[in-house]
Amino acid sequence: MSRSAHPAGPRHADVLPEGHYTGPPTDLNALDSKVWAQTVTRTTDGVVSVGGIDVKKLAEEFGTPAYFIDEADFRARARAWRTAFGEDADVFYAGKAFLSRAVVRWLHEEGLNLDVCSGGELTTALSAGMPADRIAFHGNNKSTEEITEAISRGVGRIVLDSFQEIVRVAHIAESLGKRQRVQIRVTVGVEAHTHEFIATAHEDQKFGIGLADGQAAEAVRRALALNGLELIGIHSHIGSQIFDMAGFEVAARRVVKLLAEIRDEHGVELPEIDLGGGLGIAYTSEDDPSEPHEIAKALNEIVTRECEAAKLRTPRISVEPGRAIVGPTAFTLYEVGTIKPLDGLRTYVSVDGGMSDNIRTALYDAEYSVALVSRVSEAEPMLVRVVGKHCESGDIVVRDAFLPADLAPGDLIAVPATGAYCRSMASNYNHALRPPVVAVHDGEARVIVRRETEEDLLRLDVG
Ligand code: LLP
């Protein structure tokens, strides 16, 4: 079995048979609202627009490739999570999905908290005015400098990921004369149905402390005994791009069971549990994600029920959605450069970006869709593979999709649902210049992360 053929099942492992596609859509010009940001629409002249601006104008002003993020949609999704979970819970946006100072400000204004997992993310969050006490710090190997910075700046919580870290954080907090609020991340032993590289709660991986073998209970014992730590709760994150709520339910049940054991052993009821992020989004029309209110209802019910059964006070719940907030709010705009029909196979459409702006297809066999956005076309559908301009054949942006047969160099095409883990995982492979992120809102577009320049590359290369 290959590394990516995760036993959770071929569908969720994205192990697709060669040439997987569902057949041409009935209307190639249609834009499925499942995968496109809320304000995306076709104008009367057939050009696609976002936030009231058409993509030809956007391409002229900002160039391609570029990510365009629909600010109204981002705010609406953030608000939907906030509202769904209500005042008795906290929503921490996972900054790793995409973080910039503008995004931090939107989150702050919409009442969300922020999960960071590096000194760089922490600095970005603080520099945009996110109050430190609304920040959670994650990671399986935080450096001493990162821990020191997080504690001195007063982050709301540090999520402890190992026995060494329990001691390390306690020691640094004490030496700073502080008592740090912490959670312990446990691995609940759930096989999340997703790609192996983004499943995180089965036993054989690097995150968290195991529940099943009593390690988590031991971690709690140690944390409770240290003056530098205030243990406020237990954390579980089972993976990413998950559609099936069953994994979260099992995780919640096991975390609550641990809370009951802690109460029985230590006489303390920990006040919080964090159930992580990981809710899937639609990358293609076939994906069917749950809405935030459905997720909130399911999680609240299971936690309440389990707590009642264990005679525990219901803890304050927090969640950490990243992809589910930012993923659907952006698309990547590319210009078609070359078109190469391979007889009897498919047509290769090369764009001016590639694996440097979207590594997910190469890394996780992720599926995306694509549309011609600079005009409508009545031509027949042709099966295409959208590829980048990088020097390897795995440089695929969209493995199999249909575009009109009259596609020509100079046309603009766009890949929706690229808001999460695309710019944040972008690279300079082949000395590509990482594309800008442009926020579009009510007829106005502004760069929130500028395009890299060759001077940026040379500045790092000290000769
Ligand atoms: N909380 C923790 C502790 C996490 O590790 C993550 C993601 C999240 C929350 C947010 O998960 P989300 O809601 O965004 O699924 N690069 C991969 C995803 C890696 C996710 C890592 N952790 C991808 O492109 O699919």
Side-chain angles (χ1 to χ4, degrees), residues 94 96-97 115 138 185 198 235 237 239-241 276-279 320-324 360 364 421 425:
K96 67 206 83 184
D115 140 14
H138 274 277
R185 175 162 174 178
I198 49 179
H235 182 285
H237 170 75
S240 206
Q241 185 58 4
L279 277 308
E320 300 172 336
R323 188 193 318 263
R360 298 194 68 261
Y364 315 115
Y421 304 110
M425 294 175 79

